[in-house]
Amino acid sequence: MSAGPLRRLVVLRHAKSARPPGVPDHERPLAPRGRRDAPAAGRALAEADRLPDLALCSTAVRARQTWELASAQWGTPPPVRLDPRLYAAGVPELLHVLREVPPEVGTLLLVGHNPGLEDLVLELAGDDLDDALDQVRTKFPTSAIADLTWRGPTWRDLTPGTALLTSVTVARGAKA
């Protein structure tokens, strides 16, 4: 890893969405399971001490609802930037957005969609702990959280293969 402060990228795939007839993909809301899982994702992040300094979130309804329900589990949520470029983004677009993050941000939460998020995790992770890469290669389901750490002076220095994938968690809320 290169020199610089330790940085953390926490990647959260939106919770399970509904598929109401006639609703455009961008406007799809969370399904009942997603409404249970998103707060569980927020609790998992808090319990693992992975609360972000800044969140970047897709403008899609299901991603925004995931962010709102997850961050409601924390005392004081960090600032969030809704970014339309995160919707349906591939790795090049995601890296472009990440490289714009201010250098004072140590931990960043990225809330978005597959296949882009899964591909991003696999692209950035040069190594892993406890077979986390195998987990992502097998499946990166809704409400999955990937925790990547790396060292670099700025987010512009984030390059493929330089991060360590320290954990993958799939948050699931209990049925009422």
Side-chain angles (χ1 to χ4, degrees):
M1 291 187 168
S2 64
L6 184 66
R7 297 184 182 277
R8 172 173 276 142
L9 172 62
V10 180
V11 177
L12 171 60
R13 183 176 174 201
H14 67 76
K16 183 72 175 172
S17 61
R19 295 186 180 272
V23 174
D25 184 74
H26 189 272
E27 304 307 313
R28 288 174 33 218
L30 291 180
R33 188 179 99 196
R35 293 185 107 19
R36 290 190 308 268
D37 292 349
R43 289 189 298 274
L45 289 170
E47 290 165 7
D49 196 25
R50 290 185 277 173
L51 297 183
D53 302 315
L54 173 69
L56 298 178
C57 183
S58 163
T59 55
V61 170
R62 60 193 178 272
R64 288 182 313 184
Q65 289 177 335
T66 298
W67 159 252
E68 290 162 5
L69 291 168
S71 65
Q73 304 301 306
W74 313 329
T76 304
V80 61
R81 293 184 189 162
L82 300 177
D83 193 324
R85 298 174 296 173
L86 298 177
Y87 176 70
V91 171
E93 296 87 2
L94 292 169
L95 282 172
H96 181 76
V97 171
L98 292 175
R99 289 177 178 148
E100 294 175 355
V101 172
E104 58 272 10
V105 173
T107 299
L108 176 71
L109 175 64
L110 181 63
V111 184
H113 313 270
N114 259 4
L117 292 185
E118 178 178 325
D119 293 344
L120 178 71
V121 171
L122 295 173
E123 181 82 11
L124 291 176
D127 203 357
D128 67 335
L129 299 178
D130 301 322
D131 298 320
L133 275 168
D134 287 339
Q135 279 184 267
V136 175
R137 283 185 195 106
T138 301
K139 188 172 186 186
F140 195 65
T142 55
S143 299
I145 303 165
D147 190 14
L148 296 141
T149 58
W150 62 285
R151 288 195 181 277
T154 70
W155 287 88
R156 286 188 307 272
D157 301 297
L158 179 59
T159 55
T162 59
L164 174 66
L165 179 58
T166 60
S167 69
V168 177
T169 305
V170 180
R172 294 291 183 241
K175 290 184 180 180

